Each structure stands twice: as C-alpha cells, then as structure tokens.
Amino acid sequence: MANTKSIHGEWSSRFAYILAATGSAVGLGNIWKFPYITGENGGGAFVLVYLACVLAIGIPIMIAETMMGRRGRQSPINTLTSLSTEAGANKNWHYLGWMGVIAGVLILSYYSVIAGWASAYVFKAIFGGFSADAMEVKATFDNFIASPMQLIFWHTVFMIATMSVVRKGVKSGLEKAVQLLMPALLALLLLLVAYAMTTGESYFKGLFFLFSPDFSEIDSDAVLTAMGHAFFTLGLGMGAIMVYGSYLPSGISIAKTTLYIAGADTVVALLAGIAIFPLVFANGLEPASGPGLIFQTLPIAFGNMTGGWLFGILFFVLLVFAALTSSISLIEPIVAWLVENKGYTRDRASIISGTITWALGVTVALSFNAWSEFTILGKTIFNALDYLTANLMLPIGGFCIAVFSAWVMHDKDVRDELDIPELQYVLWKYLISYVAPAAVFLVFLHVLGIF
Ligand code: TRP
C-alpha cells in the first residue's frame, strides 16, 4: 500500500488510540441500552448470549475492521475501494462502506435524542436535585418525554456539541475529549455499585437477575437483540472503528488494543447492570420498563445518598460525555468521505452531515410523544430505527467485514497488517473465517424461522 498515513491525521500515541476507541465503544449502549434491553429480555440468559457474541463474533470482527481501516487509510467507502483493488476483487465492495455511512447517520439520529435526555438530566440534577421517591422520579421522566419541545431542544444541543468536536479533527477534537472522562465515569459507576450494595436483599436479587440464566426467558428475537447489541456496544459493523483504525500509526498491535477496548466496554456494561437492577427491585419497579429505565432508577439512588446532589450532576455530565465520545465516531465516516471525495473542509462536512442527522433526529424525538401513534411494522420511529440499525445493518455489515477480510483480502496482506504471533493469527483466522460469519448467519436463519 502506498499510503502509510491518513490525510486526516493520526492518533498521537497508542494510549490516545485506546482512549478514543474505548470512548467510541463505551457510551449510552453500555449504561442506557444494555440495562433496559436486559430487563426486557429476562436477564441472565440474555446477558450470557450477549457475552458469547462479544467473544466469538465481536472481538474477531473488531480486529478485522480495525485492520482494514489501517490498511486502507481512508474513509470506509474509499478504504473498501482500495482494498478490493489491492485484492483484485470486485469494486462493488465499496457499497459496504456506503451501508456503514448510512447506518452511522441513522444511529446518531436517535443516539443524539437519548443523549439529549441525559443532558436534560444534568440540569434537572443541578436545579431540582432528585427525589428519593420512585413514583415522583417516574412522573418527572414521563412528563419530560411527553414534551416535544424539550426533547428537540436537548437533541439540538447535543448535535451542536457533537459537530463542534468533529469539526476540529483527529488530534485536537477527538483525542482531548476522552482523556479525562473515561476514568471519571468508571469511578462514578463504582460509587453507584457501592450504593446498590446498601439495598440489602435487592442487591442479590439484582445479581441473580443478571447472572442466573434461564433460557426459557429468551426467544429468537432476544438472541438477535443480544447479537445486535454486541455490535452496537463495541461500535462495530458500520466503519466507525475502521475509520479510527485508519488513523492508527503502524506498528501498534491491533489485536492487543482490541482486547483492552472490548474488555473495558464489557466491564462498564456489567457494572451499569449491577448498579441498576438492585434499585429496580428495591423500589418495586419493572425490569422491562424500556428506554426510560436508567432515568427512572438512578435518580432514586442520588435522591437517597449523602452527597447525591453532587454525584447526580457528575454522573449525568459523564454520561453525556461518554455519549459524545461515541457520537463522534458515528459521524466520522461520512465526514471523512465528504472531505476526501467532495473536497469539503472539515467544517463544511460537519455542518452538512450534522444537519441531516439532526433533522432525522427530530422525527425520533416526536416518536416519543406527538407521533407515538405512528408506527412502521408495529414499531415507533425510534424502535424501527433501532431495530433496523442494531439488529440488521450492523450484523450484516459485520458479516461482510468478516467475509471480506477472511476470504477476499490476500492472506499475506492481512498477516502483514496484523503482525501477530502465528498461534494467535491462526486462532483469529479460524474465528473470522468460520465462527463469526456462521454465527451471524445462523442467528438470522433462526429469526426467519428456518433454523
Ligand atoms: N458503542 C457506542 C455505545 O455503546 C455507540 C457507537 C459508537 C456505535 N460508534 C458506533 C454503535 C458504531 C454502532 C456502530 O454507546
């Protein structure tokens, strides 16, 4: 490959890359989505399937996607063009890049609305403090999402924040944002877990719910959701980690860094679950409360604990930042493409892609209130977009990435780029050639009722 560096810049160090990629992985998916979909899908068995998917599908594909990015050194669309040229394969592979770019915009449109909820809660924490009463906390949340203007306002604020980070580019924008936030978020989560332990019996009920699998609780759709979430939470299947890989200096081990990132991501999700479910049980709430789950549980903890006012503020601030370090990776592929192919400045590319995403997000905000009756195949706009992207587009994208890196690229090029000991390479190659694609395929067949 002629390119040894991306025109957009590079991460300044291995550590900077790990932080940025962990920032992309750790976000609302871990703290907001994982608990509520676990609650909706009966707990332990769902968690186990999700963990199995992270190990057998997520990690091998994450290595493949990062590897492709570093070898191509461009936006996912152009990377796929140049990698298929290098492999002497059909150029149509670049449509995989397009699917990713579109998935990124679709995901960000609803991601930003939920990040807007978290932003609004920063202000609720500052000005109102939180009530210790579960009913009051729930009423606050219900009133909030019933208001189109509030949701649109906070979604707008969050989109502006995202685009102002993105326009600054790799080093000054993306990197700086994560350095402080990740450790601080972890500290606050540990505090919440400590609080959860004070709920006595409910704490063990929470643990039991999360870690004791009952397979009669899950059906094929739950398995699909668990698999889709493995992609979502690691930020895989749409080119986000590919574009981050394209800014990765050569000589840094992709396999090792991937293991750190996936490990950190999993720990954060499990901690969030351990913090939240004891509160659910202690307050007689429903695990299957849906997307509002953390907004109806965590404020109770802050309302009860000493220093809760301050911790509540801190927690939601950190959640917003965790969302921000993820949202920038969702939009980076399209921004990089606009810069490469249209010759736009980063500013212009950010404004254009941000505006499109924002407009779509407005319809998502309305789907929680004014348009809640409007459904597509029985799903609200929010639910439909979430299902389409997380359950379908990401696994399909991931499947194609596995096939491309295992069967289309030349083995020698892949070895070159990964540069890992033989035994590890053979293991990865086996997972990416057979296990990961077959698993995705079987889950799809299962959902279609064929298997
Ligand atoms: N992983 C992030 C989270 O859990 C969301 C995210 C960032 C993402 N980049 C992505 C999801 C790319 C899918 C694809 O919150």
Side-chain angles (χ1 to χ4, degrees):
M1 282 260 110
N3 302 343
T4 54
K5 244 183 170 172
S6 162
I7 61 161
H8 309 281
E10 269 194 346
W11 306 113
S12 48
S13 66
R14 180 176 108 117
F15 186 60
Y17 167 73
I18 292 181
L19 279 177
T22 308
S24 159
V26 175
L28 296 174
N30 308 63
I31 294 167
W32 158 76
K33 193 172 183 189
F34 171 72
Y36 96 74
I37 58 177
T38 299
E40 285 180 339
N41 289 289
F46 178 85
V47 174
L48 205 64
V49 175
Y50 149 75
L51 290 174
C53 289
V54 167
L55 270 181
I57 307 176
I59 291 175
I61 294 182
M62 194 161 178
I63 293 175
E65 190 175 332
T66 316
M67 177 276 291
M68 286 167 61
R70 185 163 75 184
R71 195 155 186 88
R73 292 271 181 227
Q74 296 156 77
S75 71
I77 298 171
N78 293 330
T79 283
L80 276 151
T81 307
S82 76
L83 291 181
S84 39
T85 310
E86 182 184 52
N90 192 312
K91 291 268 181 20
N92 285 333
W93 278 102
H94 84 280
Y95 288 114
L96 175 57
W98 274 108
M99 182 175 78
V101 162
I102 294 167
V105 169
L106 296 180
I107 293 173
L108 184 54
S109 74
Y110 68 82
Y111 203 84
S112 168
V113 173
I114 309 295
W117 297 2
S119 317
Y121 268 65
V122 171
F123 285 80
K124 287 193 196 302
I126 296 176
F127 295 112
F130 289 120
S131 161
D133 176 60
M135 285 337 274
E136 249 176 77
V137 167
K138 182 170 175 352
T140 306
F141 177 74
D142 290 343
N143 285 335
F144 170 63
I145 63 161
S147 157
M149 278 340 276
Q150 290 195 51
L151 297 202
I152 293 172
F153 173 77
W154 290 107
H155 158 59
T156 308
V157 169
F158 186 80
M159 272 314 296
I160 292 173
T162 300
M163 297 337 284
S164 28
V165 179
V166 170
R167 60 175 270 271
K168 294 213 183 108
V170 171
K171 277 204 181 128
S172 42
L174 311 195
E175 240 180 68
K176 290 252 163 61
V178 265
Q179 309 232 341
L180 236 168
L181 308 167
M182 286 293 127
L185 184 66
L186 195 64
L188 260 264
L189 269 180
L190 289 172
L191 176 84
L192 282 168
V193 169
Y195 178 80
M197 287 180 184
T198 68
T199 61
E201 208 182 304
S202 296
Y203 177 66
F204 294 100
K205 262 199 197 158
L207 287 185
F208 189 78
F209 181 77
L210 273 173
F211 297 115
S212 129
D214 172 1
F215 283 91
S216 67
E217 289 280 338
I218 58 174
D219 56 8
S220 63
D221 223 41
V223 173
L224 179 66
T225 303
M227 180 178 75
H229 188 65
F231 283 96
F232 187 93
T233 190
L234 294 171
L236 295 184
M238 49 79 44
I241 202 69
M242 196 182 292
V243 94
Y244 276 27
S246 76
Y247 308 146
L248 183 61
S250 2
I252 291 175
S253 165
I254 290 175
K256 237 194 248 162
T257 48
T258 297
L259 289 178
Y260 292 142
I261 297 158
D265 186 73
T266 309
V267 167
V268 171
L270 294 177
L271 285 177
I274 296 172
I276 286 159
F277 284 105
L279 293 174
V280 170
F281 295 118
N283 293 284
L285 298 165
E286 207 17 72
S289 298
L293 187 66
I294 67 160
F295 297 94
Q296 297 171 8
T297 47
L298 295 182
I300 306 172
F302 297 124
N304 272 311
M305 66 171 82
T306 16
W309 180 74
L310 186 65
F311 292 134
I313 299 170
L314 261 177
F315 175 80
F316 283 104
V317 168
L318 289 168
L319 185 58
V320 172
F321 278 108
L324 196 59
T325 58
S326 298
S327 63
I328 53 186
S329 82
L330 285 160
I331 197 102
E332 181 68 17
I334 177 81
V335 170
W337 182 80
L338 287 170
V339 171
E340 285 164 12
N341 289 47
K342 299 280 162 200
Y344 291 176
T345 58
R346 273 194 81 90
D347 274 349
R348 185 149 177 233
S350 307
I351 290 172
I352 292 177
S353 48
T355 308
I356 296 171
T357 312
W358 174 82
L360 197 61
V362 169
T363 70
V364 175
L366 294 173
S367 77
F368 286 101
N369 37 62
W371 294 1
S372 62
E373 302 294 313
F374 175 77
T375 56
I376 307 161
L377 300 173
K379 294 182 193 305
T380 63
I381 297 177
F382 164 72
N383 285 321
L385 276 177
D386 176 41
Y387 194 91
L388 172 70
T389 53
N391 292 10
L392 303 178
M393 291 174 93
L394 298 181
I396 292 171
F399 176 87
C400 296
I401 285 167
V403 169
F404 188 87
S405 59
W407 302 100
V408 177
M409 288 180 74
H410 295 315
D411 190 65
K412 177 184 126 326
D413 298 339
V414 177
R415 265 176 201 276
D416 230 32
E417 201 58 54
L418 284 182
D419 194 22
I420 42 176
E422 183 61 19
L423 201 64
Q424 291 171 31
Y425 183 78
V426 172
L427 174 66
W428 172 79
K429 184 85 186 190
Y430 173 73
L431 290 170
I432 200 75
S433 310
Y434 306 105
V435 177
V440 175
F441 194 66
L442 288 179
V443 172
F444 277 129
L445 287 187
H446 191 46
V447 171
L448 293 171
I450 298 171
F451 170 72

